[in-house]
Amino acid sequence: MSQGLDRTRIQDIDALRGFALLGILIVNITFAASGFPIHLAEDPAYQSWLDQTVHWLSATFVDMKFYLLFSFLFGYSFQLQMEAAQKAGAAFKPRMLRRLGGLFVIGALHGIFLITGDILSVYALIGLVLLGMRRVSDRTALIVAGSIYAYLFITLGAAALFMDTSAVLDPTTAVAAAQQTAADLAGSFGDVIGEHVRAMPTYGLSLLTVQGPTTLAAFLIGMVLGRRRMLANITGTEAVLRLIQGLGFTIGITGGIIYASAGGNGDTGAVLASVLTAPFLTAAYVATLLRVMHSDRGQDVRRVLAPAGRMALSNYLGQSVAMVLIFTGVGLGLVGQVSPLATLGIAVAIFAGQVVLSHLWLNRFGYGPVEGVLRAITNATAPTWRRRLSRV
């Protein structure tokens, strides 16, 4: 493969990762801006048609979609890293164990000090499963991924049919809990940490029932497609991309509408519809972005997004820092005071700032600030961020 084609392939992956960062931020910021989402309650202060429209659009097109893209890219990159280590004659397993250990520690600190619910520590734990399955056949990996979705179909379907959630989702109790969460987030740094710790069991339940299993499925699919280099040599004209768009948008948006119209996470049947259809919409987003980036007028999209994705770990953590400073009592204390539309605008503004900062940083350094630390842990060396001159 020529150097130009290889560089384009790498930028495609980075750009997709950057796009995923924006979607993840749009979801995460709702939990930072209000105490209500984590308790599956509606904020009585924001019930206008505009507020409801923003919530509906987010539930339809964003919620439960972008962590799947991030997870798929994790599995895809995992395979590339393993093959690179094998070519270099390096021992892959101890390097990856160190990397996953470092990721777990970073994620645990992130979840305690900066955000309600962290995905990095989950990636580290599920990454151990992926590491153990790294030599399974493509067929076995895909069967396991399919079995995960079959399991979710059965369990969530049974819960939707037979479980009475009215007591669990009592509106009065949920609103009172949401107001207490908002008060804690508006308090001191100790109050914020306490709220993050108290939310861990609730978040952990979500991980055990839905997000964790689907993350593993996306890891495995990414690993299989990484073996086959499915993102290499994309031209944007492939018929399969148009097929993925047609099926993905049709099925994915239908499921998203069902999820949004039923009120989201408060309805088990709606969650099931989203879980089963979200991968289709995620795939459609990927196909669309690849087609855009490989068009004559869309190459700038790749150039804009790729640096943000190359620094995905630093930017993910940076988003949480920004949210702490904007919404909690540590900073401006705006929790509960920002409308859904304004919250969305803040998310876009944060991401736009990160895109600019990513370009500036990578003009001087070879790795993002946190990426440099994790790379040092992986290689068991001292961290370095010095920019390396590329060979012509």
Side-chain angles (χ1 to χ4, degrees), residues 61-119:
F61 295 101
V62 182
D63 293 5
M64 301 179 72
K65 281 78 175 178
F66 285 88
Y67 83 87
L68 290 176
L69 175 53
F70 221 87
S71 301
F72 163 78
L73 294 171
F74 184 99
Y76 195 99
S77 298
F78 172 91
Q79 178 63 28
L80 299 184
Q81 291 167 8
M82 183 168 63
E83 293 179 7
Q86 290 172 346
K87 289 180 181 179
F92 176 71
K93 185 176 180 179
R95 285 167 52 86
M96 184 53 65
L97 286 173
R98 288 195 296 268
R99 185 177 185 84
L100 293 174
L103 193 64
F104 180 83
V105 172
I106 292 172
L109 295 175
H110 178 232
I112 293 172
F113 294 102
L114 295 178
I115 196 172
T116 301
D118 166 76
I119 195 64

Side-chain angles (χ1 to χ4, degrees), residues 87-354:
K87 289 180 181 179
F92 176 71
K93 185 176 180 179
R95 285 167 52 86
M96 184 53 65
L97 286 173
R98 288 195 296 268
R99 185 177 185 84
L100 293 174
L103 193 64
F104 180 83
V105 172
I106 292 172
L109 295 175
H110 178 232
I112 293 172
F113 294 102
L114 295 178
I115 196 172
T116 301
D118 166 76
I119 195 64
L120 299 178
S121 53
V122 178
Y123 274 20
L125 294 174
I126 299 178
L128 292 173
V129 180
L130 185 66
L131 183 62
M133 296 182 66
R134 66 189 184 279
R135 293 192 179 93
V136 301
S137 67
D138 290 356
R139 182 174 181 271
T140 299
L142 294 177
I143 287 175
V144 172
S147 298
I148 287 172
Y149 275 92
Y151 159 78
L152 291 173
F153 175 76
I154 294 170
T155 55
L156 291 177
L161 290 173
F162 304 114
M163 182 179 293
D164 181 9
T165 59
S166 58
V168 178
L169 301 176
D170 176 61
T172 303
T173 302
V175 168
Q179 291 170 337
Q180 182 60 53
T181 292
D184 291 337
L185 293 176
S188 66
F189 193 35
D191 294 329
V192 172
I193 293 173
E195 177 57 37
H196 292 165
V197 173
R198 280 189 293 274
M200 284 182 177
T202 301
Y203 186 68
L205 179 62
S206 172
L207 291 175
L208 288 173
T209 56
V210 176
Q211 196 169 16
T214 52
T215 294
L216 176 57
F219 278 7
L220 292 170
I221 293 170
M223 182 179 71
V224 170
L225 296 188
R227 290 173 179 175
R228 302 188 179 196
R229 293 296 193 273
M230 295 301 291
L231 296 181
N233 302 320
I234 292 288
T235 66
T237 61
E238 291 83 359
V240 67
L241 294 180
R242 294 191 294 273
L243 177 62
I244 291 172
Q245 284 180 297
L247 289 176
F249 281 126
T250 301
I251 298 173
I253 292 175
T254 300
I257 289 173
I258 294 172
Y259 175 70
S261 300
N265 287 333
D267 187 296
T268 307
V271 172
L272 175 60
S274 183
V275 166
L276 296 180
T277 60
F280 290 92
L281 190 51
T282 301
Y285 287 153
V286 171
T288 301
L289 193 56
L290 287 172
R291 292 190 67 191
V292 168
M293 292 190 300
H294 286 271
S295 66
D296 292 338
R297 297 183 178 180
Q299 295 181 32
D300 286 341
V301 174
R302 183 196 300 118
R303 285 191 283 267
V304 168
L305 291 175
R310 187 175 165 190
M311 289 175 46
L313 179 56
S314 296
N315 283 324
Y316 175 66
L317 297 173
Q319 290 172 356
S320 297
V321 172
M323 290 187 287
V324 165
L325 295 177
I326 293 170
F327 294 108
T328 74
V330 177
L332 300 178
L334 296 182
V335 60
Q337 302 177 44
V338 183
S339 71
L341 182 60
T343 300
L344 176 61
I346 291 172
V348 173
I350 290 173
F351 182 71
Q354 289 187 311

Side-chain angles (χ1 to χ4, degrees), residues 7 11 307 310-311 357-369 372 375 383-392:
R7 182 59 187 156
Q11 287 187 334
R310 187 175 165 190
M311 289 175 46
L357 291 175
S358 297
H359 279 264
L360 293 174
W361 179 275
L362 292 176
N363 281 338
R364 297 188 59 189
F365 303 101
Y367 308 96
R375 186 172 183 271
T384 177
W385 297 271
R386 185 180 304 171
R387 179 175 174 81
R388 292 184 177 182
L389 296 177
S390 59
R391 295 179 180 177
V392 180

Side-chain angles (χ1 to χ4, degrees), residues 28-41:
N28 285 349
I29 199 170
T30 62
F31 293 90
S34 172
F36 285 80
I38 193 172
H39 297 287
L40 308 181

